[in-house]
Amino acid sequence: MDNIQSIKNRFGIIGNSPVLNYALQVAAQVANTDLTVLIVGESGVGKEVFSNIIHSLSARKHNPFIAVNCGAIPEGTIDSELFGHEKGSFTGAVDSRKGYFETVNGGTIFLDEIGELPLGTQARLLRVLETGEFIRVGSSKVQKTDVRVITATNRDLLDHTQQGKFREDLYYRLNTVPIRVPSLRDRKEDIPLLFRKFCLDFAERYKTTSIQLDDEARNILVNYQWRGNVRELKNMAEQISVLAHDKVITAQELRRFLPELPETPRLPMLAAPQTKPNGDFSNERDILYKLFFDMKKDVTELKKMFFEVLQNPNLAHSATANFQDNHMLHSFHPQPEVNTNVTSTAIAAPQQPIILQDNNKIDLHEEVEETLSIADKEKELIVKALKKHKGKRKDAALDLGISERTLYRKLKEYNINE
């Protein structure tokens, strides 16, 4: 326990929660080994502090230490950053460059947000962990390195492996020693201590009097959700220190600073569609389906009316009025508008063939149901839009009400050749 307290004092860790003490104990025990460590915890809990603890208590403490945020490096350059590259290996590579695994040889590298690594880079990292070997981008020469790897993530990597987003063999290689850093919700007894520490630090920095909480305000602070964990609590302490009117904060005053976090209701899947700003088809499919269904129904009624008029011309006026009445009743339902204006040309050219038998009776071919597949209709609309705009994607996407990027994705999905 004395060892844990000395670690807290050295690295400025506040709190006496059992889950926090256990995480610190595991970090201290694994520090003197070269085992790979996976630090798991929500954003803002202080995972990087644990990587510093492990390096500082290890035999590599006098050698280099570097922290790399894998989520902040573009996918196209992450291999070059980690493993280096040779001159001319890609556009802009005017000189050879060492990667982190080469420059930190003998030390420790901390890979934060490891779940963001591309699959190709994951394979390279696995080779380094297994054999200590790597190859620069654009080179064929195998190089050796002696680097201890500490990783961290706020994601469920095991779930990512099942989805094919993270290599399963790499996950088990990284998860040699897992350390779970608790969230503030799991160590509520430490929240008042942390808040007071942040307020005292702020008051000392700006030469002011530190704020204090009354009992009711302290209870609200402890039971708040703190989704941003320690980082959010620190920012909130500084904000209240600057903007509070009184140095003793009441519950009413505290609520003024804490944002409301409404519970997201579990709505059914058939709730009213909301249009996405990127113009994707996913929210418009219900509307398209209704539109095609109503158009088909109107066309069927027109065919029926036309054949009745052919058999008895005197019914022309009543059949037209009957169709209009039915369509007016149908239009009371909330749905996309459908143009029901029927011209004489349209009536004179029915889509279904008519065969006159010897007895002059009309024989109709059996009507074949047209497809109601949304995907087929979607593909048909895209093809029509491209033909209309002579293959210009930008104009076609604008006409369809979607983004050009979404249109490109749809072209690949439906295998449409422009």
Side-chain angles (χ1 to χ4, degrees):
M1 190 64 185
D2 292 338
N3 184 34
I4 299 300
Q5 189 58 48
S6 65
I7 293 175
K8 292 180 182 178
N9 295 337
R10 180 178 175 182
F11 294 94
I13 298 175
I14 306 296
N16 298 308
S17 170
V19 286
L20 175 64
N21 290 340
Y22 178 75
L24 291 173
Q25 180 184 346
V26 174
Q29 285 181 301
V30 77
N32 285 324
T33 70
D34 272 341
L35 295 175
T36 305
V37 178
L38 176 62
I39 304 173
V40 181
E42 297 178 5
S43 178
V45 295
K47 296 187 289 293
E48 187 169 348
V49 176
F50 277 77
S51 68
N52 282 312
I53 292 173
I54 295 172
H55 174 71
S56 300
L57 299 180
S58 71
R60 300 172 181 261
K61 59 185 176 183
H62 299 298
N63 295 333
F65 171 84
I66 188 171
V68 181
N69 188 335
C70 301
I73 303 176
E75 182 175 343
T77 60
I78 184 69
D79 285 354
S80 172
E81 292 289 330
L82 294 179
F83 309 106
H85 65 260
E86 295 294 341
K87 181 179 179 180
S89 57
F90 54 86
T91 303
V94 294
D95 292 306
S96 297
R97 179 184 180 277
K98 293 181 179 181
Y100 298 135
F101 277 97
E102 192 171 350
T103 58
V104 189
N105 188 23
T108 305
I109 184 169
F110 172 55
L111 300 178
D112 197 6
E113 297 188 27
I114 190 67
E116 301 293 336
L117 275 185
L119 289 173
T121 310
Q122 293 177 28
R124 286 173 171 260
L125 176 59
L126 181 62
R127 181 179 182 184
V128 173
L129 295 175
E130 297 265 341
T131 65
E133 298 177 347
F134 69 95
I135 301 176
R136 285 186 181 182
V137 176
S139 173
S140 58
K141 180 182 177 182
V142 178
Q143 301 191 50
K144 299 284 287 187
T145 185
D146 176 23
V147 175
R148 186 190 190 163
V149 177
I150 302 173
T151 60
T153 182
N154 58 6
R155 299 174 178 269
D156 186 350
L157 290 186
L158 188 58
D159 182 59
H160 272 42
T161 61
Q162 296 172 354
Q163 297 177 15
K165 297 179 181 178
F166 200 83
R167 293 178 63 101
E168 188 174 3
D169 48 2
L170 178 59
Y171 167 74
Y172 289 113
R173 186 65 180 79
L174 295 175
N175 201 34
T176 306
V177 178
I179 298 177
R180 183 168 298 277
V181 184
S183 64
L184 277 183
R185 294 185 301 278
D186 296 330
R187 43 184 292 224
K188 290 186 176 182
E189 62 269 34
D190 294 338
I191 293 177
L193 296 174
L194 285 165
F195 185 82
R196 185 173 62 183
K197 174 66 166 59
F198 295 144
C199 292
L200 287 172
D201 289 345
F202 183 85
E204 183 179 353
R205 187 189 315 160
Y206 296 102
K207 310 300 180 185
T208 61
T209 305
S210 177
I211 62 173
Q212 296 180 359
L213 301 174
D214 65 14
D215 292 339
E216 188 177 355
R218 187 179 296 106
N219 186 51
I220 293 175
L221 191 79
V222 168
N223 291 289
Y224 186 69
Q225 296 185 39
W226 299 115
R227 295 180 179 176
N229 292 290
V230 178
R231 185 184 296 121
E232 182 184 4
L233 180 63
K234 181 179 180 181
N235 292 340
M236 186 60 62
E238 294 184 349
Q239 180 183 348
I240 297 174
S241 298
V242 173
L243 301 178
H245 299 298
D246 301 317
K247 293 303 178 182
V248 178
I249 308 300
T250 63
Q252 182 178 1
E253 180 79 356
L254 182 61
R255 289 192 184 97
R256 190 167 65 89
F257 294 99
L258 295 177
E260 292 290 336
L261 296 177
E263 294 293 333
T264 304
R266 296 180 178 272
L267 298 177
M269 292 300 294
L270 296 179
Q274 299 175 351
T275 304
K276 291 185 179 178
N278 62 2
D280 200 348
F281 272 108
S282 57
N283 285 332
E284 286 81 9
R285 289 190 174 183
D286 287 342
I287 298 176
L288 286 172
Y289 181 85
K290 291 180 181 179
L291 177 63
F292 296 138
F293 181 81
D294 293 337
M295 289 177 64
K296 178 181 181 298
K297 184 176 181 181
D298 289 341
V299 170
T300 302
E301 291 182 4
L302 281 171
K303 291 176 183 177
K304 181 179 179 181
M305 181 185 72
F306 172 74
F307 295 135
E308 289 178 353
V309 170
L310 282 180
Q311 291 177 331
N312 189 353
N314 295 328
L315 296 177
H317 177 73
S318 60
T320 304
N322 189 27
F323 170 79
Q324 291 177 344
D325 290 341
N326 289 339
H327 183 72
M328 287 181 65
L329 288 173
H330 183 64
S331 66
F332 277 102
H333 297 284
Q335 56 189 356
E337 294 184 3
V338 180
N339 185 8
T340 55
N341 294 331
V342 183
T343 62
S344 58
T345 305
I347 295 179
Q351 294 182 0
Q352 297 294 332
I354 302 175
I355 300 177
L356 295 178
Q357 304 293 348
D358 294 338
N359 55 3
N360 291 331
K361 290 185 180 181
I362 297 176
D363 181 28
L364 303 179
H365 282 303
E366 181 181 356
E367 182 179 347
V368 179
E369 287 288 337
E370 61 178 333
T371 177
L372 293 180
S373 170
I374 295 175
D376 291 343
K377 293 298 182 182
E378 201 171 73
K379 180 178 179 181
E380 181 181 340
L381 287 174
I382 293 174
V383 171
K384 287 183 178 179
L386 289 171
K387 288 183 179 179
K388 176 181 176 182
H389 296 282
K390 299 180 180 179
K392 295 181 180 179
R393 292 182 183 174
K394 185 176 182 180
D395 295 338
L398 187 64
D399 199 4
L400 290 168
I402 61 176
S403 66
E404 191 172 356
R405 182 178 179 181
T406 301
L407 177 59
Y408 178 75
R409 179 168 57 82
K410 292 292 180 181
L411 292 176
K412 293 182 65 178
E413 180 181 344
Y414 294 126
N415 197 21
I416 299 175
N417 296 322
E418 303 175 60

